[in-house]
Amino acid sequence: MSRHFNFAAGPAALPLPVLERVADEMSDWNGEGASVMELSHRGKAFEALAAKIEANLRALLAIPEDYAVLFLQGGAAQHFVQIPMNIAGPDASADYVLTGHWSERAERAASQICTTRVAATSAASGYRGLPAADGYDFDPNAAYVHLTPNETIHGVEFHGLPDTGSVPLVADMSSTLLSRPLEVSRYGILYACAQKNIGPSGLVLLIIRRDLLARSPASLPEIFRYDRHAANGSMLNTPPTFAWYVAGLVFDWLRDQGGLAAMAELNQAKSAALYAAIDASGGFYSNPVDPEARSWMNVPFRLHDESLDALFMSEAKAQGLIGLKGHRVVGGMRASLYNAMPMAGAQALIGFMADFARRHG
Ligand SMILES: *Cc1c(COP(=O)(O)O)cnc(C)c1O
């Protein structure tokens, strides 16, 4: 049995050294005589681990002191709702930038909590790019502006941010957080489910500027309040301790790889090589996204003849390349190239694609 190159969009591949360490420590973590998932989150050992993990994340992302880091649950989808509950409320309006499936979902969910307004959208292009630079119409009185920096399904990514003035920017970074350095102070809230680029599912990271915590309404049930989670070290109730621990091992691995600058270099190189191969395939493969907005993380592509899709996937699997089926919303194929995908994996895929095209072109 060998380990495959896994291109799944999420849950996605984790670094092998992380999995091996988890396996090593499975029955006896930290000399406790028990697995980390069998220990109290309120015990000294787990509390020390949680503090160390937060410190490591702060170092990786250079998170300023005026931001709180929360380790939450519910997936990104729960926070589509919980964010307006905390920082908008029923009488407020929030601006949404629509660039694909996930930003649409976020807007629709938030519209049940507050007024939502579409400040910009690239729907007319079929989400093959970003809104034009002059296509943004922000409301200066909005409670926040919501943006999805990387659209995991459409493969559309911002490589620069629109200026939202003094309105806090809220970003769903589920498929891009930790893929490169970023300037945290440009955001009011950064949030991400873990299962793309951070760790196992069940965990959500939410990084919030502390002044926004004061917006949580007292009328909101405590379990939904970000200020209460922050005040309780993300242990208002039992947190997903195992996923938290694995994410911590991923942070250690990232540091050992050279941090986020090294990841950015690798991620850009992997995606550039794959896009170049698609563009050079003479139309056998195609990616519909405006080259300026192409994602480093998720590369959707189609075969010129969709009747070859099933054969493509079964031959790929036989070569140890898995997780290539596109999302049902857009069809075709998708290769996700998160941090844990090495250059050798991208190259194996590119080699297979060229060979497949030669045989079936
Ligand atoms: C995967 C994903 C989500 C949904 O995450 P869940 O944890 O399943 O709720 C939301 N936004 C983006 C950008 C995603 O990639």
Side-chain angles (χ1 to χ4, degrees):
M1 271 288 291
S2 72
R3 198 168 148 77
H4 293 336
F5 288 122
N6 179 3
F7 296 90
L14 286 163
L16 183 57
V18 167
L19 296 178
E20 287 172 338
R21 173 97 184 258
V22 170
D24 269 1
E25 298 180 339
M26 186 54 85
S27 57
D28 178 11
W29 171 73
N30 195 40
E32 305 291 325
S35 159
V36 67
M37 73 179 119
E38 300 169 300
L39 295 171
S40 170
H41 57 295
R42 310 225 182 258
K44 279 206 163 35
F46 192 83
E47 281 197 342
L49 176 70
K52 190 188 89 177
I53 291 172
E54 178 175 335
N56 289 347
L57 179 66
R58 284 181 176 278
L60 274 174
L61 273 169
I63 300 173
E65 263 314 304
D66 59 331
Y67 284 74
V69 177
L70 306 182
F71 292 80
L72 303 173
Q73 309 186 52
Q78 182 175 309
H79 296 274
F80 290 169
V81 180
Q82 216 173 319
I83 287 169
M85 285 163 87
N86 275 272
I87 71 163
D91 303 325
S93 174
D95 274 358
Y96 277 73
V97 177
L98 305 187
T99 50
H101 175 86
W102 288 114
S103 44
E104 276 190 356
R105 287 264 312 261
E107 188 272 334
R108 211 179 318 137
S111 71
Q112 296 190 288
I113 307 298
C114 68
T115 301
T116 56
R117 218 180 128 259
V118 175
T121 173
S122 54
S125 77
Y127 295 128
R128 287 160 181 235
L130 297 170
D134 62 359
Y136 292 86
D137 169 30
F138 291 122
D139 169 6
N141 297 313
Y144 61 87
V145 176
H146 185 281
L147 184 92
T148 306
N150 184 63
E151 285 282 358
T152 318
I153 293 173
H154 287 85
V156 170
E157 182 158 26
F158 282 88
H159 295 287
L161 290 176
D163 184 5
T164 60
S166 61
V167 178
L169 185 56
V170 172
D172 172 6
M173 305 204 81
S174 289
S175 50
T176 188
L177 192 69
L178 301 177
S179 68
R180 74 206 72 183
L182 59 81
E183 209 176 320
V184 173
S185 63
R186 294 206 50 190
Y187 301 84
I189 296 179
L190 292 170
Y191 68 106
C193 55
Q195 69 269 20
K196 315 294 171 68
N197 205 25
I198 297 170
S201 61
L203 175 70
V204 171
L205 289 185
L206 189 135
I207 301 165
I208 178 168
R209 216 174 60 210
R210 289 188 199 275
D211 62 296
L212 295 173
L213 292 171
R215 292 195 193 178
S216 297
S219 58
L220 198 59
E222 184 181 43
I223 197 68
F224 297 130
R225 285 175 57 175
Y226 293 147
D227 62 334
R228 300 300 301 148
H229 282 281
N232 287 276
S234 304
M235 296 195 196
L236 205 49
N237 65 329
T238 315
T241 52
F242 184 72
W244 192 335
Y245 147 82
V246 179
L249 296 179
V250 171
F251 303 159
D252 289 343
W253 177 82
L254 285 169
R255 184 199 53 217
D256 296 346
Q257 301 306 298
L260 302 190
M263 281 297 128
E265 209 173 303
L266 173 65
N267 290 327
Q268 181 174 26
K270 286 181 300 193
S271 58
L274 181 53
Y275 288 118
I278 290 169
D279 292 344
S281 70
F284 191 92
Y285 303 107
S286 62
N287 164 275
V289 179
D290 171 4
E292 304 279 298
R294 282 175 163 178
S295 169
W296 292 2
M297 298 279 97
N298 310 97
V299 180
F301 63 93
R302 290 183 165 283
L303 275 62
H304 74 102
D305 175 0
E306 108 183 41
S307 71
L308 291 171
D309 285 7
L311 183 65
F312 178 91
M313 279 182 288
S314 68
E315 286 193 12
K317 186 168 183 194
Q319 304 279 319
L321 308 169
I322 61 170
L324 288 163
K325 190 173 171 50
H327 193 278
R328 61 194 144 73
V329 168
V330 295
M333 310 292 149
R334 172 173 50 174
S336 296
L337 305 170
Y338 302 122
N339 288 337
M341 176 59 63
M343 181 55 97
Q347 278 162 350
L349 174 62
I350 290 165
F352 165 72
M353 287 169 67
D355 180 56
F356 187 87
R358 251 191 315 275
R359 288 182 289 108
H360 299 284

